[in-house]
Each structure stands twice: as structure tokens, then as C-alpha cells.
Amino acid sequence: MLRPRFEDEDEVYIPEIGGDGSDFNVHDRIPHSNAGIALGWSALEQQMFDMLLLNRFAADDQELLDETARTISRLVETFEAHEIARIMAVAMMSFQLAASEDKSFEDEYNKYRDYIKKHPEDLEEI
């Protein structure tokens, strides 16, 4: 099957997540970008990069995009899927912490590390 190649920048597809109530399903998707078409990406590959590039600020800043890609690679190389899910959950909670309690995850983590240095007997058993 020959896939369309978009010449007009306005036709290049970047998905919008949520808001319209539609289900977000990757299984019936085909590549929608020129790069995806040229690289012969599967629906899953295209969806993965759609999600990566969804942040248009990141897509416009090559250094930020590269750092994001390196971070994803490090996560996948270092952690199992359930651990990545836990990290993602904590990251989302850190936004909630900032919004609802006006606290920084980094500051609270540093307070915890300082406390444990002074009180090692209180270190949680894992």
C-alpha cells in the first residue's frame, strides 16, 4: 500500500489529546508525517513520535527535544515498565504538589535526603 506523502506543512498531522471525547487508539493508525512515511513507521512508531512531538515547544527547541529523547532512552534502558509507570506517576504528582501546595518536588526530595543523612535510622526499608 502506497502511503500519502504530505507536501503542505498544514497537512502534517500532530494529534490533539483529549477534549473531543474520542478514544485514543493506536492500533488503527497509520503514519501521518513525511518522516514517518519515508521511514516506513508502523502505527505504534508513529504514535510514539506523535506523543513525543505533541509538545510544540519541545518540537521547536531541538536541544529540549534531544534531551527528552535521551531521557526516554535512559529510562527504557534502566527501568522495567512498572518502574517507569511509577516514575511517571510521581512526576504527575509533583505538578499537583506545586499547584496545590506551592512546593517543589526537588526541594522536598532534598529535604528528605538531608533528613536521612542526619537520621539514617529513619531510612525506609525497600
Side-chain angles (χ1 to χ4, degrees):
M1 176 178 137
L2 184 61
R3 294 184 177 145
R5 180 168 177 82
F6 298 110
E7 301 297 337
D8 183 354
E9 186 176 317
D10 291 335
E11 291 180 338
V12 174
Y13 175 79
I14 297 179
E16 295 293 342
I17 306 299
D20 64 359
S22 65
D23 290 333
F24 200 66
N25 182 359
V26 303
H27 299 293
D28 58 354
R29 301 282 304 274
I30 60 169
H32 291 281
S33 70
N34 284 338
I37 293 166
L39 294 169
W41 280 349
S42 68
L44 180 58
E45 288 168 314
Q46 183 65 46
Q47 185 63 32
M48 181 175 62
F49 282 91
D50 284 351
M51 293 295 292
L52 177 65
L53 298 173
L54 188 62
N55 180 344
R56 287 165 178 81
F57 296 108
D60 291 340
D61 182 342
Q62 192 62 48
E63 286 183 29
L64 180 58
L65 182 59
D66 290 346
E67 180 58 30
T68 302
R70 284 191 298 271
T71 300
I72 292 167
S73 294
R74 283 193 302 265
L75 280 170
V76 171
E77 292 167 1
T78 306
F79 299 101
E80 297 293 325
H82 69 281
E83 293 170 321
I84 293 171
R86 187 178 307 121
I87 291 166
M88 291 170 46
V90 171
M92 293 307 298
M93 286 181 212
S94 72
F95 283 106
Q96 185 176 356
L97 180 70
S100 64
E101 299 183 27
D102 198 27
K103 294 181 179 178
S104 156
F105 170 78
E106 184 176 8
D107 290 345
E108 296 306 309
Y109 178 73
N110 287 333
K111 288 178 192 176
Y112 168 78
R113 295 297 297 161
D114 290 342
Y115 178 85
I116 292 301
K117 285 178 188 174
K118 295 174 185 169
H119 304 91
E121 68 277 5
D122 288 341
L123 181 64
E124 284 80 8
E125 300 240 352
I126 297 175

